[in-house]
Amino acid sequence: MSMVLFASVVRVADGLPLSASTDYELERELQETKRHLKGLSRKLSQFPDRCTFKSGQYNVNFTYSLGVGYLMVCTANYPNVLAFCFLDELQKEFIVTYETKRISSAVRPYSFIEFDTFIQKTKQRYNSPRSLSTKINLADMQTEIKLRPPYQLSPEDLQAINGFSLRTSSKYKGIAPTQMLEPATLPGLVSCVLSVLCGGLNLLRGVHAIESILQNDDEDFNYVIAFFLGTAACLYQCYLFAYFSVWRNSKSFLALALICLSNMYLYELRNVWQILFHVAVGAFMTLQIRLRQPLGKAPDYNV
């Protein structure tokens, strides 16, 4: 049976537990998973703000914002979208209920133990997902997880949590781990090479068009713009293929549309086969961008 088993709220700065759900589970593997949770709560700031890791038959998920972290243990078959929607509800309620100054000044563990009542009620709701009335919120969270999937913590990360490595924060500088893409396939690399070739051809023809304008004032400068726009669209598609970007698919379609429009404008300077080649390469590149998804993409879940 898929269900939420345990949840806690901690202060990110020092891992001080602020509130937690009450549970009476004595199962050994679950207790071991909760020990991972305690170690993790002291180092939340060293990891991305939305993570998950598998611990045997359980999953640990966490998120943090505004100096407060929200962690939970659930069964391995519990849907990611429900898990992070559960954490999102805890976050919203906790922020509304408690002032930042009071949170930062807390000195004793479980200073906000009364929040346990809300955690328990929310846990009961999410353990009966068919009775949930927040379908719109679940849909929004599913979309957000698709765009920015939670980072999957590795065994090396768990070693860092247990104190075997203290230099983990530099690992996440630059591009966030949640933005890594799947390995490039051979068709993807071929399409990238062809797209660079089309961009180079457009750039070369654009330079020649500038030379022609300098020699003959009657030439249309709009041709130069069309060539350079085609170059930019081809190279931008290569960028979208290589790196994660929000709304990648929409941007790739816009780049394809720009390639089509620029080639339609240049129909007097190119034959039909040349135009078809440029458009076909752009369409093939768009397809490869759609096929290359971010790592850790969350599965669809409909409530």
Side-chain angles (χ1 to χ4, degrees):
M1 180 178 179
S2 63
M3 60 189 304
V4 178
L5 299 171
F6 177 77
S8 65
V9 181
V10 303
R11 189 166 61 194
V12 174
D14 53 6
L16 180 73
L18 302 176
S19 183
S21 63
T22 304
D23 70 293
Y24 304 97
E25 286 281 352
L26 299 177
E27 199 271 326
R28 182 176 178 181
E29 188 174 353
L30 177 58
Q31 295 303 317
E32 181 66 25
T33 301
K34 290 173 64 177
R35 278 194 288 272
H36 283 313
L37 206 68
K38 291 179 181 178
L40 176 62
S41 66
R42 294 190 292 268
K43 297 187 178 182
L44 289 181
S45 60
Q46 297 183 6
F47 297 98
D49 62 354
R50 180 184 293 157
C51 292
T52 182
F53 74 85
K54 184 175 178 61
S55 177
Q57 58 182 324
Y58 304 108
N59 281 350
V60 172
N61 304 286
F62 74 83
T63 183
Y64 63 87
S65 176
L66 302 176
V68 181
Y70 309 86
L71 308 93
M72 56 98 78
V73 179
C74 60
T75 53
N77 59 347
Y78 195 78
N80 259 2
V81 64
L82 285 180
F84 283 100
C85 207
F86 169 77
L87 293 176
D88 188 58
E89 282 204 37
L90 297 189
Q91 175 181 325
K92 290 177 179 178
E93 181 68 19
F94 196 84
I95 291 173
V96 170
T97 307
Y98 302 105
E99 296 180 354
T100 303
K101 184 177 180 180
R102 184 181 171 189
I103 296 171
S104 60
S105 61
V107 294
R108 293 186 303 169
Y110 304 105
S111 298
F112 308 95
I113 192 61
E114 66 275 7
F115 190 72
D116 168 58
T117 303
F118 180 80
I119 296 178
Q120 293 288 68
K121 290 181 179 179
T122 308
K123 188 173 76 169
Q124 290 174 5
R125 286 175 52 234
Y126 276 83
N127 282 341
S128 301
R130 295 193 180 279
S131 67
L132 286 173
S133 59
T134 55
K135 291 186 177 181
I136 296 178
N137 292 337
L138 290 172
D140 291 343
M141 179 60 69
Q142 181 169 321
T143 301
E144 186 176 343
I145 286 178
K146 285 182 178 180
L147 295 174
R148 194 171 64 90
Y151 175 61
Q152 304 286 331
L153 291 177
S154 65
E156 291 76 15
D157 296 320
L158 295 184
Q159 287 182 353
I161 292 171
N162 292 324
F164 294 107
S165 174
L166 299 177
R167 299 181 60 83
T168 56
S169 59
S170 62
K171 182 178 179 179
Y172 305 109
K173 293 180 179 178
I175 298 176
T178 56
Q179 297 176 330
M180 297 298 292
L181 298 172
E182 294 176 349
T185 60
L186 180 59
L189 294 175
V190 171
S191 66
C192 199
V193 171
L194 291 175
S195 189
V196 171
L197 175 62
C198 289
L201 292 173
N202 284 326
L203 181 62
L204 184 62
R205 292 292 302 274
V207 172
H208 288 167
I210 292 176
E211 293 176 350
S212 179
I213 289 175
L214 293 177
Q215 296 174 2
N216 187 354
D217 294 336
D218 295 334
E219 292 290 336
D220 188 354
F221 188 76
N222 290 332
Y223 289 143
V224 176
I225 297 176
F227 281 124
F228 285 162
L229 285 177
T231 299
C234 291
L235 297 182
Y236 188 60
Q237 281 199 322
C238 293
Y239 171 82
L240 292 174
F241 176 79
Y243 298 102
F244 177 86
S245 175
V246 178
W247 307 113
R248 286 174 70 239
N249 293 339
S250 299
K251 292 176 180 177
S252 66
F253 276 116
L254 289 175
L256 175 61
L258 186 57
I259 290 172
C260 294
L261 289 174
S262 62
N263 278 278
M264 287 175 60
Y265 190 82
L266 297 170
Y267 74 96
E268 292 183 350
L269 303 181
R270 284 178 168 161
N271 60 43
V272 174
W273 294 109
Q274 290 173 328
I275 293 175
L276 288 177
F277 174 74
H278 282 267
V279 173
V281 170
F284 187 45
M285 189 77 236
T286 301
L287 175 62
Q288 295 306 313
I289 291 171
R290 287 181 57 84
L291 293 177
R292 193 181 186 198
Q293 296 293 333
L295 287 171
K297 182 179 178 181
D300 289 343
Y301 183 82
N302 296 318
V303 176

